[in-house]
């Protein structure tokens, strides 16, 4: 679609289960740019899973690693798609850095949709436990982060859409942003 040197990085962000890791590579392919999954980068640098990092270092340790990885990605100064973890931009300063680095695209979905997508998942440290209370835990997490999730450049709902449809909605919104 475009010369990778001519577009700003697109940072995909939103609640866990919204589809960032699935949509990111598809969006990058559609735009003809690279894709960096921040969680995968953190895991590779640490040599262990995010769950293991949370178990050994807690959320604060993970967030330090996440911030360092994101700083490295920004310093690489390559345009592309950057898939962020659900808590990566909760901090206002982190959102400010993200906006200076690129365009923050927030993916959203209803809590019921997220609960359906995440039922049985064992790789989400902030949601680990019994599926019977998953929706309540998602609601509590979203409530704590709602203002941050609303503070994005572009918002794209994902409810009822296939990944390819989400990509096309993002591309359309990017076109609208470029025209504005």
């Amino acid at each position: 679609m475009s010369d990778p040197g001519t577009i700003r990085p697109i940072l995909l962000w939103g609640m866990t289960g919204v589809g960032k890791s699935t949509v990111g590579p598809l969006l990058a392919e559609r735009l003809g740019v690279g894709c960096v999954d921040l969680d995968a980068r953190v895991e590779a640098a640490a040599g262990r899973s995010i769950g293991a990092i949370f178990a050994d270092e807690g959320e604060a340790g993970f967030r330090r690693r996440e911030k360092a990885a994101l700083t490295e990605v920004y310093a690489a100064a390559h345009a592309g798609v950057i898939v962020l973890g659900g808590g990566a931009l909760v901090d206002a300063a982190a959102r400010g850095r993200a906006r200076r680095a690129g365009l923050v695209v927030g993916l959203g979905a209803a809590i019921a949709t997220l609960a359906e997508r995440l039922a049985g998942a064992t790789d989400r440290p902030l949601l680990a436990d019994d599926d019977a209370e998953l929706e309540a835990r998602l609601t509590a997490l979203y409530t704590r982060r709602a203002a941050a999730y609303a503070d994005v450049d572009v918002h794209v709902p994902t409810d009822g859409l296939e990944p390819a449809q989400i990509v096309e909605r993002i591309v359309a919104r990017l076109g609208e942003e470029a025209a504005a």
Side-chain angles (χ1 to χ4, degrees):
M1 175 179 184
S2 15
D3 171 10
T6 63
I7 66 169
R8 295 173 64 205
I10 297 162
L11 295 94
L12 288 184
W13 188 47
M15 275 284 286
T16 186
V18 80
K20 303 174 300 284
S21 294
T22 300
V23 170
L26 297 173
L27 178 61
E29 182 179 336
R30 171 75 167 75
L31 297 176
V33 299
C35 182
V36 174
D37 186 309
L38 197 63
D39 283 351
R41 193 174 182 111
V42 169
E43 286 181 331
R48 55 199 166 143
S49 71
I50 290 172
I53 295 168
F54 265 78
D56 295 343
E57 303 173 27
E59 184 176 2
F62 171 75
R63 296 290 171 218
R64 280 191 300 276
R65 289 178 176 277
E66 182 180 57
K67 182 179 179 180
L70 194 51
T71 298
E72 289 173 10
V73 170
Y74 292 157
H78 76 285
V81 175
I82 303 168
V83 177
L84 303 172
L89 303 182
V90 170
D91 177 69
R95 286 194 307 283
R97 284 190 300 278
R99 282 222 170 89
R100 288 188 296 279
L103 185 75
V104 179
V105 175
L107 301 182
I111 296 297
T113 300
L114 298 174
E116 181 180 314
R117 291 177 184 171
L118 294 168
T122 58
D123 61 342
R124 313 290 171 136
L126 293 179
L127 298 176
D129 284 327
D130 178 10
D131 271 350
E133 295 183 20
L134 179 59
E135 201 163 319
R137 286 193 311 280
L138 284 166
T139 298
L141 184 61
Y142 179 79
T143 299
R144 286 193 308 271
R145 297 177 173 177
Y149 285 142
D151 186 21
V152 295
D153 297 310
V154 173
H155 186 266
V156 178
T158 66
D159 291 288
L161 300 176
E162 294 296 321
Q165 294 171 304
I166 297 166
V167 167
E168 291 310 314
R169 293 239 175 129
I170 294 169
V171 170
R173 293 296 312 272
L174 296 176
E176 293 168 10
E177 286 295 309

